[in-house]
Amino acid sequence: MVQNKYSKKVDWLTVSIYLIMVIFGWFNIYAANYDPENPIFFDPGKEYAKQLIWIGLSVIIIWVLIMTDSKFYVAFSYFLYGLSVFLLFSVIFFGKEINGAKSWFELGPLRFQPVELGKIATALVMSRIMSRHDFSFNKPAKVAKIIGLWALPVMCIFLQNDTGSALVFFVFILPFYREGLTGNILIFGILTAVVAILTLVYPNTLIIWLILVATLLFLLIKIDKKVTGIGAAVLLGGFTLALTIYSILGQALRWEIFTVIGMAGLSIYLLIKGFVKNLKPVIPALIFMWSLVAVTFTVDYFVDDVLSEYQRNRVYVLLGFKDDPLGAGYNVNQSKIAIGSGGLTGKGYLEGTQTKFDFVPEQSTDFIFCTVGEEWGYLGTFAVVFLYVFLIFRLIYLAEKQHSPFSRIYGYCVASIFFYHMAINIGMTIGLAPVIGIPLPFFSYGGSSLWGFTTLLFIFLKLDTDRNELIR
Amino acid sequence: MENINRRTLVIGLIVLTIGIIFIIKLFILQVYDPSYKFSAVSNTRREIISFPARGLVYDRNGKLIVSNQADYDLMVVPRELKPMDSVTFCNSLEISIEELRNLFDDMNGRLHNKKISRIKPSIFYKQLSVKQYGYLQEKLYKFDGFFVQRRTLRKYEYPYAAHILGYIGEVGPQDIERDDYYIRGDYNGINGVESTYEEFLRGEKGFKYVLVDVHGRQKGSFKDGEYDIPAVAGKDIKLTIDIELQKYGEELMQNKIGSIVAIDPQTGEILTMISSPTYDPSLMVGKKRAGNFSDLSTDSLKPLFNRPIMAWYPPGSTFKTINALIGLQEGVITPDSRFECHMGYSVGRFHLGCHNHPSPLDLRHSISNSCNAYYCHVFRNIIDNKKYASVQEGFDAWKGYLVKFGFGHRLGTDFSNEIRGFVPNSATYDKIYNKSWSSLTVVSLAIGQGELLTTPVQMANMAATLANKGFFYTPHIIKEIENDTIPSRFKEIHQTGIDTAHYRPVRDGMEMAIWGGPGSTAGAARVPGITICGKTGTAQNPHGEDHSVFIAFAPKDNPKIAIAVYVENGGFGARWAAPISSLMVEKYLKGEIDPSRSWLETRMMEGDLIYGTK
């Protein structure tokens, strides 16, 4: 029988984690919908009843995925990708707007979010390209192809105004890194985030000088005292010269411009010196310096001129600059109160008060973790975080065991997507990440996301059944 | 291979770092830092209803009659209750432990019957006194789950016009069923204009969501007031009554049973509507209402009974004016027709008595002298008119005129409890007399007795029709509604189907009834300088002394007021009803009573037909 053929090979540990999450998730959706004023054991109109149907249909999806030949996923990756980009593009025009994002198709009673397919298809296509034997991050043509195919769905999703989902795609940096992308990019990504946050707190000039000091330190470590000393002198010289000229002309003083002029001087010196003496660290130093300065200005401009007052407030509250528990910080504050009130062991199943009566918004979708926190306490939240970390580790472990690079890369993509969702969703409910409306995989209510994550996972589990074969 | 392992390790470390950060943060949030636990207890959302100020009520001259006063209910949210010091609680409310136990039993009973919610506020103790509120407000933080909600009660600026104004009281289950605006504990208008114009007066309730801490103290608005709905104040209304005239009339009617209705005939506006005995409308406000209501409703003099619209009496001799008009319109008499009267009307063995007066009289004098025999002739001539095939047909023609005058049907005033009175038709008598009856059988209708029953407001309307020489507007009490229009039916003109010319002799007769010298029935109603016209009546009362009736209007040309007065057990119309009418007319038109008549005013005011001697 078919069952027997696959039941031995499918990674039952992962399937068990999956089942525990889905079932535990359902119980929490039930609790979030439970009305203690009007305790009906089972109301077919409620979300938990529908979720039960979505779970049932997931079983069929799993069966189909496992029955499909592994080679299909490679062969049809471009087709699926094309289809998903088409849908992601169409939804901008024909989609239904929910919570400000035009990211849903509505067909009668069914709603479908093409971004779910987009994640899967993009993961498959990335895996396919990177699994070719001639692929390398040193070949600009290949990198361009990867970036192009990556950017297409991301742009569509940004155009849908679904920023939260678009940001998911940035997590592909992890499989890229695994497959040979230079670590500098990863470091650069982290530095960018740090600079962006600092820009919101401190004046631009101070940030830029911090970047310059960091650059000089880098030069000191990687090259020598002499180059660093001359570089610093050129920098200060350019700065002072610009300042003097401005003062003589009687213009208003623009510190940022003086700094940039100083930086230009430093850059010219370093380029010449680097070219003459063939100093390799000069290039990354310059790239880092200029990019981070650009980040500073961009973030500053973005927050001050692009974001609405409301969005700006959300950013500030998240970063803790503003304490506004009833305004912009409302959701996070309510969510933290709900989780905090759970204590060590929780209030008990269905005994939660904060995750009912609409204190916490989107209780059964984006903020389902609050119900876990309130009713199951620290034991519950610890278990959920542990399960996710365990699942991601298990997926990485399985990925490393794959004979074919396609399966391995895809496994990393899956693990990374789960990681991103877990990190942002839980992070948001405990005030460590911005409030971005993305679901907690397998927990949040909704057929579209459940099916999406199930498909994402079980394609990999299917590929894993053929881990000793070369799939291409 | 080694390189790949290092990269795997880096990715694993990133995941692990985030996982550990989360686990630490969650530990701080859930276990280490107690502030969020307290916060959750305190983080209770409460829906507070903001009650709108009810619309104010003004009289026709813009004097404020009804306003609002603040009132406080003690509310409870059962889910938030904690054990408390019941002695302090009782002391603050000045109630006994038993009463408190009863209050809790009540609450639990209602909770059990699902009448109230465990998580939503409901009333625990209604209408705190200012003193109770003061004490309680200080101690409230000790009593979890309790808070005080403000609402408004009525405040009456005058102790008059109770029947017109009606009162407000708690909504009943059927009100809640009928209109989902109401919830348990709300007030709505009961009776009077409070009830009729409820939907204008009540305004729109608002809702405010606030966060409250563990002690019931409000910590700010929920979601910045995003969901709050402000209350909309009720619309003010202006009534047609003149509160000073109302006051004067109520004083005149003290210690008497009966009613006064005065109408501006040119508009149908009710200037005053008095039911005596009456009560101070302030008795119906707040906590004391229940006790006062039961006292008033068991009073044998029925002070709650709104006589002008709910009592029916025979119209008595005042009705001769109508029969005269019908006779003239039907062509069975002329103003010069004379009929003999020898101390009454006799046909065979039938005799209907009359008083001593010159005979025969013409139409004008028949009214001023109130001759019974004259109207027996007139009435029988109408019914037995050759143009009608039968007595039934003749009778129904007569009845048709009465209906056009507004008798036998509800006039359609603002008051929903107005009754229709009674005008018999031929079928009524066919039933009583088995179809064998004649005009003589029912001749007492000629003088306003018999089966005919009218309300005082219908009689005042009759006076207004006489004043207008043939038409009337539906009497009404509403003059203006803020930013709205009054019902259109009050603007419609009603014709009586009697030629204007026929009113002249009748109105002359009414003038002569007061001013005509010897033999005139209502000399007591003379008001110096005002051409007042009137007609006395005596409504037969099988239970005791007859009722004194008077209708009048003034001035004769361009009338400004039409009035009907009933004084129960007052005897002849001239005795009580006529003087009272004249005083009302004088007060309204002149503003004060001529010194030459102050003795009459005193006599009317001091007259005690209930407890004293007549």
Side-chain angles (χ1 to χ4, degrees):
Chain A
M1 282 299 287
V2 179
Q3 275 324 80
N4 294 335
K5 181 181 164 193
Y6 290 108
S7 54
K8 278 179 194 161
K9 290 188 184 174
V10 169
D11 185 62
W12 282 101
L13 187 56
T14 310
V15 173
S16 306
I17 299 169
Y18 169 80
L19 286 176
I20 291 168
M21 284 183 168
V22 168
I23 292 165
F24 190 48
W26 183 83
F27 275 99
N28 283 295
I29 292 168
Y30 183 92
N33 275 278
Y34 182 77
D35 179 2
E37 267 295 288
N38 194 9
I40 295 170
F41 175 65
F42 195 86
D43 179 350
K46 293 268 189 172
E47 286 175 341
Y48 52 74
K50 291 187 206 156
Q51 184 74 358
L52 214 52
I53 297 169
W54 311 146
I55 292 171
L57 290 170
S58 298
V59 176
I60 296 170
I61 291 173
I62 291 167
W63 183 76
V64 171
L65 292 171
I66 297 294
M67 291 307 294
T68 308
D69 194 302
S70 291
K71 289 191 173 66
F72 170 88
Y73 299 114
V74 186
F76 279 80
S77 56
Y78 276 112
F79 171 76
L80 286 173
Y81 176 83
L83 178 69
S84 73
V85 170
F86 172 73
L87 291 174
L88 286 169
F89 190 68
S90 319
V91 82
I92 301 169
F93 304 101
F94 307 113
K96 186 177 164 64
E97 189 168 314
I98 292 171
N99 291 336
K102 235 181 159 183
S103 59
W104 292 83
F105 279 120
E106 202 172 46
L107 294 165
L110 288 176
R111 288 204 305 207
F112 164 70
Q113 213 176 2
V115 71
E116 301 298 345
L117 180 63
K119 283 180 225 169
I120 299 161
T122 309
L124 287 171
V125 157
M126 295 291 133
S127 310
R128 171 149 179 183
I129 298 166
M130 290 194 283
S131 63
R132 298 293 108 166
H133 58 87
D134 60 345
F135 179 83
S136 161
F137 276 100
N138 296 322
K139 293 178 179 171
K142 296 288 175 189
V143 175
K145 189 177 178 184
I146 283 268
I147 291 174
L149 289 171
W150 173 84
L152 203 54
V154 173
M155 282 190 312
C156 289
I157 299 164
F158 270 120
L159 288 175
Q160 293 164 16
N161 203 14
D162 189 5
T163 320
S165 299
L167 293 176
V168 177
F169 287 76
F170 284 87
V171 85
F172 281 115
I173 199 167
L174 291 179
F176 291 170
Y177 170 71
R178 165 63 185 78
E179 295 306 313
L181 180 72
T182 166
N184 287 343
I185 303 279
L186 200 61
I187 296 166
F188 178 71
I190 293 164
L191 281 179
T192 303
V194 172
V195 167
I197 290 169
L198 289 178
T199 307
L200 296 171
V201 199
Y202 301 105
N204 286 356
T205 320
L206 180 66
I207 307 295
I208 294 168
W209 280 99
L210 278 176
I211 294 167
L212 294 177
V213 170
T215 309
L216 291 173
L217 277 174
F218 179 80
L219 295 176
L220 188 67
I221 296 162
K222 288 279 180 178
I223 308 174
D224 58 24
K225 278 183 198 166
K226 193 185 152 204
V227 173
T228 312
I230 296 170
V234 172
L235 177 69
L236 290 171
F239 178 83
T240 317
L241 187 68
L243 176 66
T244 316
I245 293 168
Y246 258 70
S247 305
I248 291 166
L249 292 176
Q251 300 277 329
L253 300 181
R254 302 279 306 273
W255 300 108
E256 289 169 10
I257 292 181
F258 309 153
T259 312
V260 171
I261 290 169
M263 276 170 66
L266 173 67
S267 307
I268 293 163
Y269 163 74
L270 285 178
L271 280 175
I272 296 166
K273 192 81 185 171
F275 182 72
V276 174
K277 292 212 170 177
N278 195 20
L279 298 171
K280 271 188 183 166
V282 161
I283 302 302
L286 286 178
I287 291 172
F288 268 62
M289 182 177 79
W290 282 104
S291 309
L292 292 176
V293 169
V295 165
T296 307
F297 284 119
T298 312
V299 167
D300 200 52
Y301 169 76
F302 187 72
V303 170
D304 285 351
D305 298 322
V306 177
L307 290 186
S308 65
E309 179 70 32
Y310 169 77
Q311 289 169 316
R312 190 158 45 242
N313 270 338
R314 279 211 161 176
V315 171
Y316 285 141
V317 169
L318 168 76
L319 296 172
F321 309 149
K322 248 189 176 177
D323 190 21
D324 185 10
L326 295 173
Y330 178 82
N331 290 356
V332 176
N333 192 49
Q334 292 302 323
S335 150
K336 282 161 86 175
I337 287 169
I339 293 170
S341 71
L344 180 64
T345 54
K347 294 179 185 167
Y349 188 54
L350 302 182
E351 296 296 322
T353 52
Q354 300 298 305
T355 45
K356 298 178 175 66
F357 318 126
D358 305 324
F359 271 113
V360 176
E362 313 282 336
Q363 290 161 19
S364 54
T365 53
D366 296 347
F367 282 88
I368 191 70
F369 191 71
C370 296
T371 305
V372 179
E374 188 182 17
E375 298 193 348
W376 302 87
Y378 185 61
L379 300 180
T381 54
F382 183 91
V384 171
V385 173
F386 178 81
L387 273 178
Y388 272 109
V389 172
F390 187 76
L391 174 69
I392 292 159
F393 277 16
R394 179 74 189 167
L395 290 174
I396 292 171
Y397 168 79
L398 291 178
E400 289 296 339
K401 289 192 116 182
Q402 302 302 313
H403 179 65
S404 59
F406 177 83
S407 304
R408 179 184 69 234
I409 300 165
Y410 182 77
Y412 268 93
C413 289
V414 174
S416 306
I417 291 170
F418 285 150
F419 171 63
Y420 175 84
H421 273 270
M422 182 275 276
I424 297 297
N425 184 288
I426 295 180
M428 137 183 119
T429 60
I430 56 179
L432 291 177
V435 180
I436 292 173
I438 59 165
L440 187 60
F442 311 127
F443 276 80
S444 290
Y445 166 77
S448 200
S449 73
L450 177 65
W451 297 341
F453 291 122
T454 301
T455 308
L456 197 64
L457 179 64
F458 278 88
I459 287 177
F460 178 64
L461 291 185
K462 167 63 190 178
L463 295 173
D464 180 56
T465 60
D466 295 322
R467 67 168 71 139
N468 295 324
E469 291 168 34
L470 189 62
I471 304 160
R472 54 169 71 227
Chain B
M1 201 61 201
E2 200 189 59
N3 188 31
I4 286 171
N5 277 338
R6 195 176 68 103
R7 284 170 179 251
T8 304
L9 204 64
V10 168
I11 293 171
L13 272 176
I14 293 173
V15 175
L16 197 64
T17 309
I18 296 290
I20 288 170
I21 290 173
F22 281 4
I23 281 167
I24 292 169
K25 174 74 181 180
L26 284 164
F27 182 80
I28 293 169
L29 204 58
Q30 297 190 283
V31 184
Y32 181 73
D33 181 358
S35 67
Y36 281 102
K37 253 171 250 94
F38 290 124
S39 204
V41 179
S42 68
N43 186 35
T44 317
R45 187 184 68 176
R46 179 176 290 160
E47 179 189 277
I48 292 192
I49 298 174
S50 17
F51 287 95
R54 203 171 163 85
L56 305 178
V57 183
Y58 296 92
D59 89 336
R60 66 185 293 111
N61 299 316
K63 283 186 181 152
L64 183 63
I65 325 177
V66 188
S67 58
N68 297 311
Q69 56 187 346
D71 169 57
Y72 301 91
D73 287 341
L74 181 60
M75 309 296 287
V76 66
V77 182
R79 187 174 67 111
E80 295 168 17
L81 286 175
K82 297 270 162 60
M84 59 174 193
D85 176 1
S86 34
V87 175
T88 315
F89 191 87
C90 287
N91 289 343
S92 306
L93 272 185
E94 297 182 300
I95 57 172
S96 66
I97 292 282
E98 284 71 43
E99 282 175 278
L100 180 64
R101 197 166 291 139
N102 288 337
L103 286 169
F104 270 112
D105 287 347
D106 275 0
M107 184 193 81
N108 289 327
R110 285 203 291 270
L111 269 178
H112 185 74
N113 297 329
K114 305 230 167 186
K115 287 256 166 57
I116 60 172
S117 157
R118 194 166 285 281
I119 56 165
K120 289 183 186 153
S122 33
I123 297 174
F124 186 74
Y125 187 82
K126 266 183 274 185
Q127 294 162 358
L128 299 169
S129 67
V130 177
K131 208 167 142 199
Q132 285 171 324
Y133 176 65
Y135 280 142
L136 197 64
Q137 192 67 350
E138 282 172 33
K139 306 266 170 59
L140 206 56
Y141 69 93
K142 293 185 181 171
F143 311 123
D144 291 342
F146 287 101
F147 71 102
V148 172
Q149 181 164 279
R150 185 195 152 106
R151 58 167 90 221
T152 58
L153 285 184
R154 278 310 206 189
K155 180 162 184 278
Y156 295 94
E157 306 291 336
Y158 294 89
Y160 309 112
H163 294 99
I164 294 170
L165 301 172
Y167 49 90
I168 57 170
E170 241 185 278
V171 291
Q174 67 280 6
D175 296 309
I176 299 170
E177 184 80 14
R178 177 177 49 83
D179 185 343
D180 57 13
Y181 176 82
Y182 300 111
I183 56 166
R184 206 182 147 272
D186 280 358
Y187 293 97
N188 70 347
I190 301 172
N191 283 339
V193 293
E194 294 280 18
S195 165
T196 307
Y197 298 103
E198 165 72 12
E199 281 173 26
F200 299 100
L201 290 169
R202 72 183 180 193
E204 285 294 326
K205 270 185 280 194
F207 296 91
K208 210 166 64 181
Y209 296 95
V210 293
L211 295 175
V212 288
D213 72 4
V214 69
H215 300 310
R217 285 180 295 223
Q218 298 183 8
K219 300 306 277 185
S221 61
F222 174 70
K223 288 201 178 178
D224 247 356
E226 196 183 314
Y227 299 119
D228 292 1
I229 303 165
V232 180
K235 293 178 173 177
D236 296 346
I237 60 172
K238 193 177 204 178
L239 302 184
T240 61
I241 63 160
D242 178 332
I243 193 67
E244 294 300 330
L245 190 64
Q246 180 80 20
K247 167 179 187 277
Y248 186 63
E250 290 190 18
E251 283 166 4
L252 286 173
M253 288 299 284
Q254 64 195 358
N255 294 324
K256 299 165 199 74
I257 301 170
S259 23
I260 302 177
V261 179
I263 295 174
D264 178 347
Q266 297 177 4
T267 56
E269 292 173 358
I270 296 172
L271 301 171
T272 188
M273 195 170 93
I274 291 152
S275 181
S276 185
T278 181
Y279 61 92
D280 181 349
S282 303
L283 294 176
M284 293 298 206
V285 175
K287 245 190 150 46
K288 55 188 189 283
R289 186 170 76 86
N292 287 334
F293 184 85
S294 73
D295 287 353
L296 288 169
S297 60
T298 52
D299 190 322
S300 63
L301 296 172
K302 298 188 180 168
L304 294 176
F305 187 54
N306 194 1
R307 290 176 167 80
I309 54 165
M310 296 179 78
W312 53 11
Y313 308 93
S317 296
T318 59
F319 214 66
K320 288 169 182 168
T321 54
I322 301 303
N323 277 331
L325 288 167
I326 299 169
L328 289 166
Q329 183 69 25
E330 287 284 288
V332 298
I333 53 161
T334 70
D336 297 322
S337 300
R338 287 166 190 267
F339 296 101
E340 300 260 337
C341 174
H342 304 290
M343 295 296 282
Y345 178 74
S346 301
V347 176
R349 298 174 65 181
F350 178 86
H351 180 76
L352 196 153
C354 191
H355 57 99
N356 189 18
H357 60 78
S359 172
L361 294 170
D362 67 0
L363 179 61
R364 287 176 172 85
H365 286 90
S366 75
I367 291 174
S368 67
N369 283 279
S370 195
C371 173
N372 286 346
Y374 193 98
Y375 287 93
C376 292
H377 287 289
V378 173
F379 179 73
R380 292 195 68 188
N381 288 351
I382 296 166
I383 308 291
D384 297 335
N385 195 339
K386 291 280 185 293
K387 74 177 178 183
Y388 300 116
S390 64
V391 64
Q392 279 86 356
E393 206 176 296
F395 187 86
D396 289 335
W398 175 80
K399 190 216 165 195
Y401 284 105
L402 265 54
V403 169
K404 286 196 153 186
F405 272 94
F407 295 112
H409 290 273
R410 292 159 50 120
L411 281 171
T413 61
D414 320 59
F415 302 96
S416 59
N417 49 355
E418 179 196 355
I419 63 160
R420 57 183 294 187
F422 184 69
V423 176
N425 59 14
S426 58
T428 317
Y429 293 114
D430 282 348
K431 209 170 179 180
I432 300 172
Y433 300 110
N434 199 18
K435 292 191 178 174
S436 74
W437 55 283
S438 71
S439 56
L440 187 63
T441 320
V442 297
V443 78
S444 56
L445 294 171
I447 58 164
Q449 308 291 352
E451 285 74 15
L452 199 57
L453 292 166
T454 59
T455 62
V457 73
Q458 285 173 332
M459 296 299 285
N461 189 51
M462 180 176 96
T465 312
L466 288 160
N468 289 337
K469 298 177 208 152
F471 67 88
F472 66 88
Y473 292 98
T474 302
H476 55 276
I477 207 91
I478 188 79
K479 194 166 170 66
E480 285 167 24
I481 302 172
E482 188 184 6
N483 298 327
D484 219 313
T485 53
I486 66 167
S488 61
R489 66 174 197 273
F490 297 146
K491 304 273 188 196
E492 286 167 20
I493 202 160
H494 298 270
Q495 297 290 348
T496 50
I498 286 170
D499 297 345
T500 310
H502 297 320
Y503 282 89
R504 204 172 147 197
V506 176
R507 287 159 52 98
D508 289 347
M510 289 174 74
E511 189 182 6
M512 284 155 62
I514 295 170
W515 301 96
S520 303
T521 49
R526 287 184 187 183
V527 181
I530 297 174
T531 50
I532 177 169
C533 305
K535 178 73 196 82
T536 53
T538 306
Q540 283 177 3
N541 176 17
H543 309 295
E545 181 89 33
D546 290 345
H547 303 320
S548 175
V549 191
F550 196 71
I551 61 158
F553 61 87
K556 190 181 178 192
D557 306 310
N558 193 23
K560 295 265 192 267
I561 180 169
I563 191 166
V565 175
Y566 270 84
V567 179
E568 291 189 15
N569 315 119
F572 294 124
R575 204 174 189 178
W576 294 102
I580 288 174
S581 299
S582 71
L583 288 165
M584 290 294 285
V585 168
E586 188 175 10
K587 180 81 178 174
Y588 182 66
L589 293 177
K590 294 208 153 175
E592 57 182 10
I593 303 302
D594 191 281
S596 69
R597 279 159 51 82
S598 59
W599 64 273
L600 185 68
E601 184 183 31
T602 312
R603 198 166 87 179
M604 289 300 121
M605 286 201 180
E606 290 178 354
D608 187 342
L609 299 183
I610 297 175
Y611 308 104
T613 49
K614 283 154 213 165

